[in-house]
Amino acid sequence: MLAGPVARARDTAELAFGVARVRVVDGLLADDYAGGKLDWVLGEHRRLFAEPVPARANRVLVGHRTPAIMVLGPAVAGAAFPEGAALVLEPSADGSSPLLLGSFALAPIAGGGFHQC
């Protein structure tokens, strides 16, 4: 279980999975905190999204939606990936772009959340 260092991502991961199971990584930094490291942060998102996962395992990443939108494009923009939702990706066998299986929201956000999505 990996989480970005910004408090809302880290706190979400720790509440959902327990502090001991969460490893905070800079590669899941929010775009608006990345500054001059944005290209590196996006590269880390690409790597984590595409890297194969061991059999019968899942990789859980808790970060921010904008870097995911920047990496995965229009398929996850706007209402397709609302605030507070999760993406389900299948890494490719060869480490190239992952397959987007879908997204789900655990609960609607009152007022539509940030950007009304």
Side-chain angles (χ1 to χ4, degrees):
M1 149 57 54
L2 302 176
V6 176
R8 60 187 176 265
R10 187 189 67 244
D11 291 350
T12 298
E14 290 175 352
L15 286 169
F17 298 96
V19 174
R21 296 184 66 194
V22 175
R23 183 166 54 104
V24 176
V25 296
D26 285 342
L28 293 174
L29 190 63
D31 59 299
D32 49 349
Y33 289 85
K37 294 182 359 177
L38 181 59
D39 286 340
W40 177 80
V41 167
L42 296 177
E44 285 297 290
H45 277 74
R46 282 184 196 90
R47 181 183 67 76
L48 290 167
F49 290 170
E51 189 174 74
V53 178
R56 295 197 284 235
N58 292 303
R59 177 181 299 123
V60 177
L61 309 173
V62 180
H64 304 271
R65 67 189 287 273
T66 301
I69 292 168
M70 294 170 83
V71 168
L72 299 172
V76 297
F81 183 27
E83 288 287 323
L87 293 176
V88 180
L89 304 171
E90 181 178 341
S92 65
D94 64 3
S96 61
S97 294
L99 174 63
L100 174 63
L101 299 177
S103 69
F104 64 93
L106 301 177
I109 295 177
F114 190 66
H115 295 306
Q116 302 305 307
C117 53

